[in-house]
Amino acid sequence: MFELSVNRRFTSTHALFTASGPVEEPHIHDFRLEVRLACETLDGAGMAVDFREIDRAMDGIVGRMEGADLGTAPLLSGLSPSAENIARGVYSNLKEELAGKARVSRVTVWEDPEHSASFFEGP
């Protein structure tokens, strides 16, 4: 099994909320996104997936979050923009973008160097 890892950074605003309203003031984070992909085979060039394909998919997803208010981002479909929900939203979008090329195994969102949340599907 091969595992690939690709990282991106983006800056966005978010404020967590519940059904009864906001739970914090809007604030900015310099997020770091780490995506891990799994592949069992290599192509004729010895690659699991060309990094350029992964980059294109990630650039499209990150581009919709860069500078945005994540509380209104379509990626989250009205969910509170927690690191957990961001990770799940990126996972779902990337899984669709890379279908048939690689399996997205984990997406981790770092709010700062000490705090992260990951999303992955169980066994």
Side-chain angles (χ1 to χ4, degrees):
M1 181 72 71
F2 298 93
E3 182 177 60
L4 306 175
S5 179
V6 178
N7 290 272
R8 284 289 181 285
R9 294 186 181 279
F10 64 98
T11 302
S12 298
T13 301
H14 81 154
L16 302 182
F17 60 84
T18 65
S20 25
V23 297
E24 63 184 3
E25 292 295 317
H27 56 281
I28 295 173
H29 281 289
D30 292 318
F31 291 98
R32 182 169 68 90
L33 176 65
E34 179 182 16
V35 171
R36 293 188 177 259
L37 305 163
C39 271
E40 293 185 19
T41 60
L42 301 179
D43 66 13
M47 296 184 293
V49 180
D50 190 328
F51 281 122
R52 290 177 294 188
E53 289 186 57
I54 301 166
D55 287 343
R56 276 192 293 274
M58 287 184 65
D59 288 347
I61 293 167
V62 170
R64 295 189 299 266
M65 294 188 295
E66 178 65 48
D69 174 357
L70 296 179
T72 61
L75 176 84
L76 298 175
S77 302
L79 298 171
S80 182
S82 63
E84 293 87 344
N85 282 331
I86 296 166
R88 180 173 41 194
V90 170
Y91 181 99
S92 297
N93 277 255
L94 198 57
K95 180 179 176 180
E96 185 177 309
E97 290 280 330
L98 296 176
K101 297 175 185 171
R103 181 177 64 81
V104 180
S105 54
R106 178 182 301 264
V107 171
T108 302
V109 174
W110 295 83
E111 285 196 353
D112 59 44
E114 291 84 30
H115 303 96
S116 69
S118 297
F119 182 83
F120 59 95
E121 293 182 288

